[in-house]
């Protein structure tokens, strides 16, 4: 009986139907009748399959493509239109917020300074001066302010155009625009040229996004 | 201009919307696409639908064609379209070999009765294979495509293509061995020689 363990693997013999055997396999096929026969059977089956006639064409498939109206192809960005539209809307929202910040912030009045000391009236200043702050030695009479003290007393000018410190409790006057910018609590988010450039780029991106994501598709649909 | 350069030029023109260029590509591959579709489905009407679907899909997605040959790309589309058709019909084409003569076939003039019988047996055996094995055998043994192109067409590793092809051939041989006409014409025998020196059966000269 032929020892089956000495035969080539069945899958290998099947693959050899379309391959040239190497030297080792050729030597085995030369001396093993079973493997040689099986190899020839696989080659015969493959040869028979190769000789199968091709089925006749039912019609000319090319004729249909010569006659049909050419359909316009979608542009390359069409497959990304959903993400493009979402990004455009987000960018537009951000742009509106930033522009609103620029437009609205100058109209907001500056907050009052709570830590500033209330301005004293002229009557209070005279009362301060009237308090005895020190006595001259040997003097039994009432204390009289020295000429130096009087010289240091702030004199209320007779010039009516001079600005007087406001009475406590009186409403603070509206500041000028330039003053308000200096007194604002925090600087504008877009104050530098780089910020303005970024804002311009954002605006251009939003414009391009609306053009590609909304306007052009609408135009193509109307066609 | 060589064939591949000519095809590259045709593809480039077809991508710009040149219908004549695409029609020329269709003419070059319509026989192959239809034949593979027919072998996979076993029905000429379904094969015609699949072939038409293949060229329409190719026309609409021509800009995605890259990294492979046009033949492999079209056959991949045809293979996928055939699988879609099989899933839609949800039927397995298994034809017993005893009814091989009843299998749907075209009216092709046959040189002889024996060859007609062998052809029917082969087609029936092909139809009896699982579709995955059938696809590999049709591409390799019926159409003669190389392993690498089959791998590109089916989207499989080269090793998988070879192993699947080997098992398909083994199964085909078993199926044909059970048919008396095919067994005789192809010289198939499953018996091991009992003794050394036993005369072999008549073998068909395959080359």
């Amino acid at each position: 009986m032929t020892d089956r363990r000495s035969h080539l693997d069945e899958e290998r013999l099947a693959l050899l139907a379309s391959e040239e055997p190497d030297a080792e396999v050729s030597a085995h096929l030369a001396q093993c009748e079973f493997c040689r026969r099986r190899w020839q059977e696989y080659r015969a089956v493959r040869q028979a399959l190769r000789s199968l006639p091709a089925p006749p064409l039912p019609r000319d498939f090319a004729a249909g493509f010569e006659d049909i109206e050419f359909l316009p192809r979608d542009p390359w960005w069409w497959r990304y239109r959903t993400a493009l539209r979402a990004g455009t809307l987000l960018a537009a929202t951000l742009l509106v917020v930033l522009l609103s910040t620029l437009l609205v912030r100058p109209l907001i009045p500056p907050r009052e300074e709570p830590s500033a000391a209330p301005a004293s009236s002229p009557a209070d200043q005279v009362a301060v001066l009237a308090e005895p702050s020190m006595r001259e030695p040997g003097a039994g009479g009432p204390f009289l302010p020295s000429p130096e003290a009087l010289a240091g007393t702030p004199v209320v000018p007779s010039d009516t155009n001079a600005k007087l410190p406001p009475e406590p409790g009186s409403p603070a006057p509206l500041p000028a625009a330039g003053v308000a910018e200096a007194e604002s609590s925090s600087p504008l988010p877009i104050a530098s040229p780089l910020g303005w450039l970024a804002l311009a780029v954002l605006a251009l991106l939003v414009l391009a996004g609306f053009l590609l994501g909304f306007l052009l598709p609408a135009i193509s649909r109307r066609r | 201009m060589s064939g591949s350069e000519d095809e590259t030029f045709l593809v480039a023109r077809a991508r710009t919307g040149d219908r004549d260029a695409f029609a020329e590509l269709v003419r070059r591959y319509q026989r192959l696409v239809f034949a593979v579709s027919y072998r996979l489905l076993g029905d000429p009407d379904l094969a015609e639908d699949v072939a038409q679907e293949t060229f329409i899909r190719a026309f609409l997605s021509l800009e995605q064609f890259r990294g492979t040959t046009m033949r492999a790309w079209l056959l991949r589309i045809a293979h996928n379209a055939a699988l879609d058709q099989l899933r839609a019909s949800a039927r397995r084409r298994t034809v017993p070999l005893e009814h091989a003569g009843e299998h749907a076939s075209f009216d092709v003039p046959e040189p002889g009765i024996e060859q007609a019988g062998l052809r029917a047996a082969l087609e029936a055996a092909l139809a009896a294979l699982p579709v995955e094995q059938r696809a590999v055998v049709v591409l390799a043994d019926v159409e003669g495509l190389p392993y690498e192109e089959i791998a590109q067409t089916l989207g499989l590793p080269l090793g998988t293509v070879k192993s699947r092809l080997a098992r398909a051939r083994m199964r085909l041989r078993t199926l044909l061995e059970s048919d008396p006409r095919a067994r005789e014409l192809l010289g198939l025998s499953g018996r091991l020689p009992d003794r050394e020196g036993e005369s072999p059966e008549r073998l068909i000269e395959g080359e």
Side-chain angles (χ1 to χ4, degrees):
Chain A
M1 293 292 289
T2 307
D3 184 6
R4 294 188 73 101
R5 288 176 297 179
S6 65
H7 297 304
L8 293 173
D9 181 67
E10 189 74 20
E11 284 195 16
R12 192 172 182 187
L13 285 169
L15 270 182
L16 282 173
S18 55
E19 297 174 3
E20 284 300 319
D22 56 18
E24 182 183 355
V25 172
S26 296
H28 177 83
L29 292 176
Q31 62 183 358
C32 178
E33 183 183 356
F34 175 81
C35 290
R36 184 174 62 250
R37 187 188 307 168
R38 188 57 59 91
W39 172 57
Q40 289 173 341
E41 289 172 359
Y42 282 122
R43 288 169 69 90
V45 170
R46 183 173 184 272
Q47 186 65 26
L49 287 171
R50 286 290 286 145
S51 64
L52 276 176
L57 275 178
R59 60 185 175 90
D60 182 16
F61 292 96
F65 289 95
E66 289 171 335
D67 300 332
I68 61 172
E69 186 66 26
F70 176 63
L71 299 174
R73 298 180 184 277
D74 292 330
W76 64 268
W77 46 263
W78 184 249
R79 62 176 66 184
Y80 308 111
R81 63 189 183 280
T82 303
L84 185 66
R85 289 171 177 175
T88 300
L89 291 175
L90 286 175
T93 304
L94 180 62
L95 184 64
V96 167
V97 168
L98 292 176
L99 287 176
S100 301
T101 305
L102 286 176
L103 292 175
V104 172
R105 187 169 283 277
L107 300 177
I108 299 175
R111 288 175 291 176
E112 294 181 2
E113 297 293 334
S115 60
S120 58
S121 62
D124 293 337
Q125 291 177 0
V126 171
V128 167
L129 291 173
E131 285 182 358
S133 58
M134 63 188 303
R135 290 185 179 272
E136 292 184 1
F143 170 74
L144 292 175
S146 62
E148 293 77 10
L150 286 174
T153 305
V155 178
V156 178
S158 59
D159 186 4
T160 57
N161 291 330
K163 287 188 179 178
L164 297 175
E167 295 289 336
S170 63
L174 291 176
V179 175
E181 286 183 5
E183 293 178 350
S184 61
S185 58
S186 61
L188 284 172
I190 305 174
S192 64
L194 193 62
W196 283 107
L197 179 63
L199 188 63
V201 170
L202 182 63
L204 285 175
L205 289 175
V206 169
L207 188 62
F210 270 109
L211 192 66
L212 293 177
F214 297 97
L215 186 59
L216 288 180
I219 293 174
S220 62
R221 273 197 296 269
R222 285 183 183 179
R223 289 179 185 172
Chain B
M1 187 181 291
S2 66
S4 61
E5 291 173 350
D6 181 39
E7 184 171 289
T8 303
F9 180 66
L10 281 176
V11 171
R13 282 172 49 197
R15 277 178 168 167
T16 63
D18 189 336
R19 286 168 291 173
D20 293 333
F22 187 78
E24 177 60 28
L25 287 173
V26 172
R27 281 193 202 92
R28 291 189 180 192
Y29 292 107
Q30 59 182 350
R31 288 189 181 277
L32 175 64
V33 169
F34 179 73
V36 170
S37 301
Y38 172 71
R39 299 292 179 204
L40 290 177
L41 297 167
D43 185 294
D45 295 328
L46 293 179
E48 182 179 351
D49 293 340
V50 166
Q52 179 68 21
E53 177 71 21
T54 297
F55 293 120
I56 291 175
R57 288 188 189 181
F59 179 75
L60 294 176
S61 59
L62 195 58
E63 67 274 7
Q64 299 174 16
F65 165 66
R66 60 177 60 88
T68 182
T69 62
M70 174 58 71
R71 182 169 69 174
W73 187 62
L74 286 174
L75 289 178
R76 170 181 274 198
I77 298 174
H79 173 255
N80 292 336
L83 292 183
D84 292 342
Q85 182 66 49
L86 287 173
R87 292 191 200 103
S89 59
R91 59 187 176 94
R92 183 183 173 87
R93 295 195 65 82
T94 53
V95 180
L97 285 180
E98 55 268 24
H99 299 296
E102 304 165 5
H103 185 70
S105 62
F106 293 96
D107 294 330
V108 179
E110 294 294 342
I113 298 177
E114 283 188 350
Q115 292 299 322
L118 177 61
R119 180 179 152 232
L122 286 169
E123 291 184 348
L126 274 176
L129 290 177
V131 65
E132 302 83 16
Q133 292 182 1
R134 193 186 319 150
V136 179
V137 167
V138 166
L139 293 174
D141 292 343
V142 179
E143 303 300 335
L145 266 66
Y147 293 156
E148 291 76 15
E149 198 164 348
I150 297 173
Q152 287 181 357
T153 298
L154 301 180
L156 298 172
L158 193 60
T160 304
V161 170
K162 289 185 176 181
S163 64
R164 197 172 285 186
L165 178 60
R167 284 191 230 110
R169 285 173 176 170
M170 291 164 58
R171 193 158 183 167
L172 266 179
R173 186 193 162 280
T174 304
L175 288 169
L176 291 169
E177 196 178 41
S178 64
D179 181 274
R181 294 169 297 171
R183 186 172 66 237
E184 181 182 356
L185 289 171
L186 295 174
L188 303 179
S189 171
R191 293 185 300 109
L192 280 173
D194 294 331
R195 294 180 302 277
E196 287 187 358
E198 180 180 5
S199 58
E201 295 179 61
R202 183 178 64 86
L203 296 173
I204 301 277
E205 288 294 330
E207 300 299 328

